[in-house]
């Protein structure tokens, strides 16, 4: 398959200045996104998945967050080296982003229409106000908001959470981006709305052919929407594989743990749930060697001294574990 | 919305009645008053004439006969119970008759009317200038948080906040006005004001008001500036600013198009109160700069127990305060669409 690589992240390292010192929230992360593909970034809280996405958008909180090294190549152009004003043309135009919390992600004092229209005004300055208004209504219709002519005049507080996330998607997709970064877009919504939003994103993707980077901690969502999955642990990639491979033959003990922690319907009732013992290591003082060692049942001597590298299982499946062949 | 404001306006009435009834009662209960003043005056007159009439009157408790005192009480309405005389007073207020000063024997309204332009000038100019300084300064401090400008302006603003206005007034009076002769020593306008051209008149007013305005405002910057800075910083860290930047806005436009209006909401709640607060003036600053405003008038009347003026000033300031509150509500509704009054 001659799929075109759209976005390539190479050896990304992102650090945060804290009062206690510098911590590396993302270390040596590389993956690529092909046209029309959906990549899932999965991992528990603090594993660096959101920081990775914010680094791509260069939206890290200033002045604490800083990209130390690496490249983010969009059509072979390094976004990290772009001047600020050129980056503004990328954001919202070629790469858009939606966030976890739809309740606070919209400006409370501006009308919905104005907030969608702003994206058009920024990236398609040739459009006049009437066209922008019509297009905004059209966007609301596309994301499945009933009575868009009326909603466009309303303020965010007049909409429900699901509606607001749809508005966020409308804003993000207004300028037909090549890539949509969705940072836990369904986490704050209840399950039925989650399903609707996922369905909506999938159908919009089919219609527009955009790529999606989907960040979540919900493996169920990953299985539903993603083509490829990147599992992150403590700032590093643990495993990277096509979604079927990952669910059928997970190689990393962490991925295996995550998958076995999902309760299954065929399990006998009132059974103790599977967990991964222990907690994520403190990024301030990481252990030497593998970062997963203190929670890993396969830990051996080399795990404590040598950091595992991302090894090739096959042409599409990569894992970062010393003992993946044995387990 | 209209019905809400009509309701608010109607609520002014009971509040106003409450304020005035309490103050009216206090003026009746505290010792001293116009009758005591007249007695004291009469005693003084007796003392100066004492050489001829002998020492007998000095031993009297009062230089006036009980009949005369009774007559005076009747004249000032002290013969009636508090509530009745309050209602009498209120009845006159309704036809805009604030009574007659017990010191100057002039109608109270005439006296207040003379001072009102001066107070209104200082009140309005102070409010406008405070907002004009505090909003841009707060924005600058929020954007340049922890920079040199931020820290120095904080120090200056906080020193201003810590200094009482009248101390600043005295310092300004002693050096820039008296020693260096940069500004007039006080007053609202020059004596030859009538003979000046319009441009000169405007300059004259400004020249006279620079120092008092500094003294009035210097303490007021801190609250508003920090309120602006802190709310703006809160909003800059909020999710919708990230959304705006993710949309492709520059940081600067995100600040001014998105965060700014949200940050004005808490400031808007103060607007009406501020304007009425400054209008009432500060008698100490008025005293230092010899400005004939409401603050000084109210204070002197209180010292001299000139109750009609005290109550008259109270009527003006409390109505302004109550209307100021409604104005604040209106300002909030103006900037925040979530606020609905029904």
């Amino acid at each position: 398959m001659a799929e075109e690589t759209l976005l390539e992240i190479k050896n990304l390292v992102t650090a945060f200045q804290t009062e206690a010192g510098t911590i590396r929230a993302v270390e040596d992360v590389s993956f690529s996104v092909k046209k029309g593909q959906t990549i899932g970034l999965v991992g528990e809280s603090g594993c660096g998945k959101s920081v990775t996405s914010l680094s791509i958008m260069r939206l890290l909180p200033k002045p604490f967050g800083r990209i130390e090294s690496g490249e983010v190549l969009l059509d072979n152009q390094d976004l990290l080296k772009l001047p600020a004003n050129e980056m503004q043309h990328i954001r919202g135009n070629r790469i858009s982003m939606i966030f976890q919390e739809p309740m606070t992600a919209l400006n409370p004092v501006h009308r919905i229409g104005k907030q969608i229209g702003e994206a058009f005004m920024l990236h398609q300055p040739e459009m006049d106000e009437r066209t922008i208004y019509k297009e905004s209504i059209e966007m609301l219709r596309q994301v499945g908001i009933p009575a868009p002519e009326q909603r466009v005049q309303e303020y965010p507080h007049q909409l429900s959470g699901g509606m607001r996330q749809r508005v966020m998607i409308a804003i993000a997709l207004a300028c037909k981006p090549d890539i949509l970064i969705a940072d836990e877009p369904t986490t704050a919504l209840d399950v039925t709305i989650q399903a609707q939003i996922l369905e909506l994103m999938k159908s919009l993707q089919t219609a527009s052919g955009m790529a999606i980077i989907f960040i979540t901690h919900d493996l169920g969502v990953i299985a539903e929407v993603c083509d490829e999955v990147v599992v992150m642990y403590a700032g590093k990639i643990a495993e990277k594989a096509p979604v079927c491979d990952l669910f059928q033959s997970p190689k990393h003990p962490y991925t295996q743990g995550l998958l076995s922690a999902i309760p299954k319907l065929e399990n006998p009732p009132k059974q103790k749930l599977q967990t991964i013992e222990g907690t994520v290591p403190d990024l301030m003082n990481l252990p030497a060697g593998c970062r997963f060692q203190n929670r890993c049942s396969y830990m051996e001597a080399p795990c404590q001294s040598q950091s595992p590298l991302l090894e090739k299982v096959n042409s599409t499946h990569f894992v970062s574990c010393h003992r993946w062949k044995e387990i | 919305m209209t019905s809400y404001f009509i309701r608010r306006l109607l609520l002014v009435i009971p509040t106003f009645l409450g304020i005035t009834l309490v103050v009216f009662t206090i003026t009746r209960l505290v010792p001293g008053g116009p009758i005591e003043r007249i007695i004291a005056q009469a005693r003084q007159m007796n003392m100066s004439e004492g050489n001829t009439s002998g020492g007998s009157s000095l031993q009297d408790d009062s230089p006036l006969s009980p009949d005369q005192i009774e007559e005076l009480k009747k004249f000032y309405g002290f013969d009636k119970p508090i509530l009745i005389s309050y209602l009498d007073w209120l009845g006159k207020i309704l036809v805009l008759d604030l009574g007659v000063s017990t010191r100057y024997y002039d109608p109270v309204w005439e006296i207040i009317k003379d001072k009102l332009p001066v107070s209104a000038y200082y009140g309005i100019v102070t409010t406008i200038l405070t907002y004009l300084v505090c909003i841009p300064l707060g924005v600058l401090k929020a954007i340049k948080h922890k920079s040199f400008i931020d820290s120095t302006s904080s120090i200056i603003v906080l020193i201003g906040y810590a200094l009482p206005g009248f101390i600043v007034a005295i310092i300004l009076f002693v050096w820039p006005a008296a020693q260096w002769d940069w500004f007039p020593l006080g007053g609202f306008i020059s004596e030859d004001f009538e003979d000046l051209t319009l441009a000169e008149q405007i300059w004259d007013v400004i020249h006279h008001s620079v120092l008092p305005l500094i003294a009035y405002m210097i303490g007021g910057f801190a609250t508003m500036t920090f309120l602006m800075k802190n709310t703006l910083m809160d909003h800059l860290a909020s999710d919708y600013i990230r959304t705006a930047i993710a949309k492709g806005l520059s940081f600067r436009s995100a600040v001014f198009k998105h965060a700014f209006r949200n940050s004005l909401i808490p400031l808007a709640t103060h607007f009406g109160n501020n304007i009425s607060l400054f209008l009432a003036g500060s008698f100490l600053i008025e005293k230092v700069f010899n400005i004939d405003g409401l603050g000084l008038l109210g204070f002197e009347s209180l010292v001299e127990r000139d109750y009609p003026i005290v109550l008259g000033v109270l009527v003006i300031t409390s109505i302004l305060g109550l209307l100021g509150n409604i104005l604040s509500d209106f300002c909030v509704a103006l900037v925040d669409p979530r606020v609905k009054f029904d």
Side-chain angles (χ1 to χ4, degrees), chain A residues 106-250:
Chain A
L106 292 165
N107 188 336
V109 301
H110 289 172
R111 290 176 204 278
I112 301 297
K114 189 177 172 188
Q115 302 196 43
I116 302 175
E118 200 169 28
F120 289 119
M121 265 187 316
L122 286 166
H123 302 297
Q124 289 166 26
E126 70 283 355
M127 281 170 85
D128 61 82
E129 251 174 69
R130 282 196 50 142
T131 332
I132 288 179
Y133 188 73
K134 274 192 208 153
E135 284 293 316
S136 306
I137 294 176
E138 182 49 37
M139 284 313 300
L140 287 182
R141 183 169 296 126
Q142 275 185 31
V143 296
I145 288 185
E149 295 84 359
Q150 187 196 329
R151 293 296 185 189
V152 80
Q153 292 285 356
E154 292 187 349
Y155 290 97
H157 69 275
Q158 291 164 298
L159 306 182
S160 67
M163 288 281 201
R164 290 190 211 185
Q165 196 59 290
R166 284 170 194 264
V167 171
M168 281 300 293
I169 295 173
I171 294 173
L173 300 189
C175 297
K176 309 211 164 23
D178 299 317
I179 301 167
L180 174 69
I181 301 176
D183 188 354
E184 307 208 26
T186 56
T187 308
L189 305 172
D190 66 65
V191 195
T192 44
I193 308 295
Q194 264 188 31
Q196 288 176 15
I197 295 285
L198 292 179
E199 209 45 55
L200 171 72
M201 289 178 66
K202 273 203 279 188
S203 69
L204 289 169
Q205 185 181 29
T206 328
S208 67
M210 66 181 170
I212 298 181
I213 300 176
F214 204 103
I215 295 158
T216 181
H217 54 244
D218 187 341
L219 284 166
V221 173
I222 291 282
E224 198 164 330
V225 298
C226 295
D227 303 313
E228 222 182 290
V229 189
V230 176
V231 181
M232 290 184 69
Y233 185 79
K236 281 195 162 184
I237 292 183
E239 190 166 5
K240 189 161 71 170
V243 68
C244 296
D245 279 10
L246 189 93
F247 279 89
Q248 274 158 20
S249 59

Side-chain angles (χ1 to χ4, degrees), chain A residues 54 57 59 88 91-92 95 97 99 101 104-110 115 118-119 122-123 155 157 168 171, chain B residues 238-251 257-259 261-262 265 335-340:
Chain A
L54 291 173
M57 289 291 271
L59 281 175
Q88 284 159 27
R91 287 191 204 116
I95 310 179
M97 188 160 180
F99 302 97
E101 193 45 82
T104 54
L106 292 165
N107 188 336
V109 301
H110 289 172
Q115 302 196 43
E118 200 169 28
L122 286 166
H123 302 297
Y155 290 97
H157 69 275
M168 281 300 293
I171 294 173
Chain B
S238 67
D239 287 352
Y240 68 84
I241 290 299
R242 195 176 54 182
T243 308
I245 294 176
K247 235 188 259 184
L249 240 66
S250 65
F251 178 69
K257 288 186 181 163
H258 288 272
R261 187 168 154 194
N262 278 295
I265 295 168
V335 287
D336 190 349
R338 284 167 295 183
V339 176
K340 281 272 181 306

Side-chain angles (χ1 to χ4, degrees), chain B residues 134-170:
Chain B
C134 293
I135 293 176
L137 185 63
V139 172
L140 182 76
K141 285 165 73 66
I143 295 174
K144 307 254 177 212
H145 180 56
K146 283 190 170 170
S147 69
F148 177 73
I149 293 181
D150 181 35
S151 325
T152 17
S153 60
S154 290
I155 293 171
I156 295 170
V157 162
L158 284 174
I159 289 175
Y161 182 67
L163 288 172
F166 64 92
I167 300 280
V168 177
I170 292 169

Side-chain angles (χ1 to χ4, degrees), chain A residues 252-262 274-276:
Chain A
H252 198 285
Y254 178 59
T255 320
Q256 291 172 353
L258 285 180
L259 289 174
S260 61
I262 302 173
Q274 286 280 332
T275 55
I276 305 175

Side-chain angles (χ1 to χ4, degrees), chain B residues 58-266:
Chain B
L58 283 174
Q59 269 119 43
D60 278 357
D61 267 331
S62 165
L64 300 176
S65 66
D67 287 351
Q68 283 175 307
I69 291 178
E70 230 15 75
E71 216 171 301
L72 277 171
K73 276 192 176 166
K74 201 167 260 166
F75 177 75
Y76 287 115
F78 288 161
D79 55 335
K80 295 174 202 157
I82 292 176
L83 200 61
I84 302 292
S85 44
Y86 173 72
L87 290 176
D88 279 351
W89 176 82
L90 197 65
K92 284 186 188 161
I93 295 288
L94 291 180
V95 292
L96 299 176
D97 175 9
L98 293 175
V100 174
S101 159
T102 55
R103 263 188 311 167
Y104 306 116
Y105 306 105
D106 283 330
V108 170
W109 174 238
E110 294 293 323
I111 298 173
I112 291 180
K113 208 169 68 181
D114 280 350
K115 324 274 181 187
L116 211 51
V118 179
S119 290
Y121 169 78
Y122 278 109
I124 291 167
V125 172
T126 315
T127 310
I128 292 173
L129 283 181
T130 308
Y131 277 90
L132 278 184
V133 171
C134 293
I135 293 176
L137 185 63
V139 172
L140 182 76
K141 285 165 73 66
I143 295 174
K144 307 254 177 212
H145 180 56
K146 283 190 170 170
S147 69
F148 177 73
I149 293 181
D150 181 35
S151 325
T152 17
S153 60
S154 290
I155 293 171
I156 295 170
V157 162
L158 284 174
I159 289 175
Y161 182 67
L163 288 172
F166 64 92
I167 300 280
V168 177
I170 292 169
I171 294 171
L172 292 174
F173 180 80
V174 171
W175 282 286
Q179 288 274 15
W180 304 330
D181 215 15
W182 292 348
F183 295 98
L185 276 176
F188 185 58
I189 45 177
S190 302
E191 277 171 16
D192 56 350
F193 190 73
E194 310 269 291
D195 307 329
L196 301 174
T197 62
L198 183 67
E200 283 175 324
Q201 286 187 338
I202 293 171
W203 168 246
D204 190 56
V205 170
I206 294 173
H207 200 211
H208 275 86
S209 52
V210 170
L211 297 184
L213 280 177
I214 294 174
Y216 270 126
M217 291 189 303
I218 194 151
F221 288 139
T223 323
M224 298 301 257
T225 306
F226 283 107
L227 190 64
M228 184 72 211
K229 181 193 171 184
N230 292 339
T231 39
L232 186 58
M233 282 185 59
D234 279 352
H235 284 285
L236 286 181
S238 67
D239 287 352
Y240 68 84
I241 290 299
R242 195 176 54 182
T243 308
I245 294 176
K247 235 188 259 184
L249 240 66
S250 65
F251 178 69
R252 183 173 291 266
S253 328
V255 172
F256 287 104
K257 288 186 181 163
H258 288 272
F260 185 64
R261 187 168 154 194
N262 278 295
S263 313
L264 287 182
I265 295 168

Side-chain angles (χ1 to χ4, degrees), chain B residues 39-64:
Chain B
I39 293 172
Q41 273 176 357
R43 187 177 286 142
Q44 259 181 354
M45 269 181 343
N46 281 353
M47 273 169 74
S48 53
E49 294 160 11
N51 297 333
T52 48
S53 60
S56 62
S57 62
L58 283 174
Q59 269 119 43
D60 278 357
D61 267 331
S62 165
L64 300 176

